[in-house]
């Protein structure tokens, strides 16, 4: 297993968002991930009071969830943790590797924002699910947001992104490796300063039955699997909800 420090440094070098957390926060400003997650918790475990979020990033989602739950966030990236502590000082956010970190048992375990997709190796995925189980009380809920189908676009797409320094232009192209189930996103940024930056994001796609397999192996029983609208599976990203049965 690659050491957490080496892995964190590699991800930071290849992903602009991890080098510029403020940009990440700005791009994710209209995300409804936290609201969707909370709605699923209210539906399946309305009495939940405590929550641990693995891969919490800048704490944007955690800040919303903390209005309802007693929350702790964990992230591998020291830069993200430092930024989150500066801009959201009221949150409990800790540096840690979700393959190995051990805190305490809670009512809800979450892993949102594609965090699980950065774990590529089968054994490591199993270790992450073991971590989920190690933090789950009896009957605890697990809520994941992760890709379940690759994005495959033959032509690049371009968009304008609002950043704290003004509009940036980004061009995105995807690759799909069926053997490894890695969906690679190549981004070319033209920042407001005029600087050109390229980054590469590699995400592991776990198909629905794989997610169910890993969850079952860690002692969770699948409860639901839906898209953001809550109406079945119809896109590349799904919310998986499972209940700890041990």
């Amino acid at each position: 297993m690659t050491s957490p420090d080496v892995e964190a440094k590699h991800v930071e070098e290849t992903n602009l968002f991890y080098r510029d957390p403020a940009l990440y926060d700005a791009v994710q400003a209209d995300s409804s991930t936290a609201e969707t997650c909370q709605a699923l918790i209210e539906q399946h475990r309305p009495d939940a009071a405590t929550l641990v979020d693995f891969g919490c990033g800048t704490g944007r989602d955690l800040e919303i969830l903390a209005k309802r739950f007693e929350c702790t966030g964990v992230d591998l990236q020291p830069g993200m943790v430092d930024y989150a502590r500066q801009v959201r000082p009221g949150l409990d956010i800790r540096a840690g590797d979700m393959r190995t970190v051990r805190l305490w048992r809670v009512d809800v375990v979450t892993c949102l924002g594609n965090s699980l997709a950065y774990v590529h190796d089968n054994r490591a995925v199993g270790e992450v699910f073991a971590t989920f189980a190690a933090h789950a009380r009896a009957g605890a809920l697990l809520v994941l947001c992760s890709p379940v189908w690759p994005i495959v676009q033959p032509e690049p797409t371009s968009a304008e992104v609002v950043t704290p320094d003004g509009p940036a232009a980004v061009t995105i192209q995807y690759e799909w490796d069926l053997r490894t189930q890695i969906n690679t996103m190549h981004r070319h940024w033209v920042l407001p300063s005029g600087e050109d930056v390229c980054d590469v994001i590699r995400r592991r796609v776990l198909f629905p039955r794989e997610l169910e397999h890993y969850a079952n192996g860690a002692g969770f029983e699948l409860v639901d699997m839906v898209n953001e609208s809550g109406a079945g599976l119809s896109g590349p990203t799904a919310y998986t909800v499972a209940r700890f049965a041990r």
Side-chain angles (χ1 to χ4, degrees), residues 125 183 229 236:
V125 173
N183 205 182
S229 69

Side-chain angles (χ1 to χ4, degrees), residues 158-214:
S158 298
E160 185 176 273
V161 177
V162 177
T163 80
D165 300 318
V170 60
T171 301
I172 301 174
Q173 189 160 18
Y174 291 92
E175 293 178 5
W176 168 238
D177 185 332
L178 179 58
R179 173 64 185 85
T180 61
Q181 296 177 212
I182 301 295
N183 205 182
T184 302
M185 177 170 59
H186 299 269
R187 295 188 302 206
H188 174 219
W189 298 84
V190 180
L191 301 177
S193 64
E195 180 186 5
D196 283 287
V197 177
C198 294
D199 60 359
V200 180
I201 318 301
R202 301 175 68 246
R203 293 176 178 146
R204 165 78 182 269
V205 174
L206 291 172
F207 296 111
R209 292 302 296 270
E210 286 183 288
L211 285 167
E212 185 175 5
H213 169 77
Y214 282 110

Side-chain angles (χ1 to χ4, degrees), residues 6-239:
V6 170
E7 200 156 309
K9 187 174 186 298
H10 172 72
V11 173
E12 181 178 295
E13 288 173 347
T14 58
N15 189 330
L16 176 62
F17 286 164
Y18 292 122
R19 301 194 298 275
D20 188 349
L23 174 61
Y24 177 86
D25 251 6
V27 171
Q28 294 295 318
D30 61 350
S31 169
S32 59
T33 298
E35 289 83 358
T36 301
C37 177
Q38 182 167 331
L40 290 168
I41 298 169
E42 298 291 356
Q43 179 182 352
H44 297 289
R45 184 68 198 270
D47 63 331
T50 55
L51 180 151
V52 171
D53 181 32
F54 292 100
C56 67
T58 64
R60 198 202 73 87
D61 290 334
L62 198 69
E63 184 176 43
I64 296 170
L65 293 169
K67 296 174 183 177
R68 166 65 175 80
F69 308 100
E70 181 183 337
C71 293
T72 301
V74 179
D75 199 272
L76 181 66
Q77 303 295 323
M80 286 288 200
V81 173
D82 290 344
Y83 174 86
R85 288 172 175 170
Q86 290 170 15
V87 300
R88 299 180 173 96
L91 298 179
D92 180 4
I93 296 182
R94 308 175 180 217
D97 184 339
M98 64 182 176
R99 296 169 296 184
T100 57
V101 67
R102 294 293 184 269
L103 300 174
W104 47 79
R105 294 185 183 272
V106 293
D107 299 323
V108 181
V109 176
T110 62
C111 186
L112 310 172
N114 290 312
S115 297
L116 182 59
Y118 292 105
V119 183
H120 297 167
D121 177 74
N122 289 341
R123 179 177 176 179
V125 173
E127 291 169 345
V128 170
F129 275 85
T131 293
F132 297 157
H135 292 81
R137 291 175 176 161
L141 213 61
L142 172 66
V143 182
L144 309 175
C145 179
S146 63
V148 294
W149 189 255
I151 300 174
V152 181
Q153 297 175 344
E155 299 297 330
T157 59
S158 298
E160 185 176 273
V161 177
V162 177
T163 80
D165 300 318
V170 60
T171 301
I172 301 174
Q173 189 160 18
Y174 291 92
E175 293 178 5
W176 168 238
D177 185 332
L178 179 58
R179 173 64 185 85
T180 61
Q181 296 177 212
I182 301 295
N183 205 182
T184 302
M185 177 170 59
H186 299 269
R187 295 188 302 206
H188 174 219
W189 298 84
V190 180
L191 301 177
S193 64
E195 180 186 5
D196 283 287
V197 177
C198 294
D199 60 359
V200 180
I201 318 301
R202 301 175 68 246
R203 293 176 178 146
R204 165 78 182 269
V205 174
L206 291 172
F207 296 111
R209 292 302 296 270
E210 286 183 288
L211 285 167
E212 185 175 5
H213 169 77
Y214 282 110
N216 290 165
F220 293 91
E221 293 180 353
L222 188 70
V223 173
D224 208 353
M225 192 174 288
V226 296
N227 62 21
E228 196 164 37
S229 69
L233 297 180
S234 59
T237 301
Y239 290 82

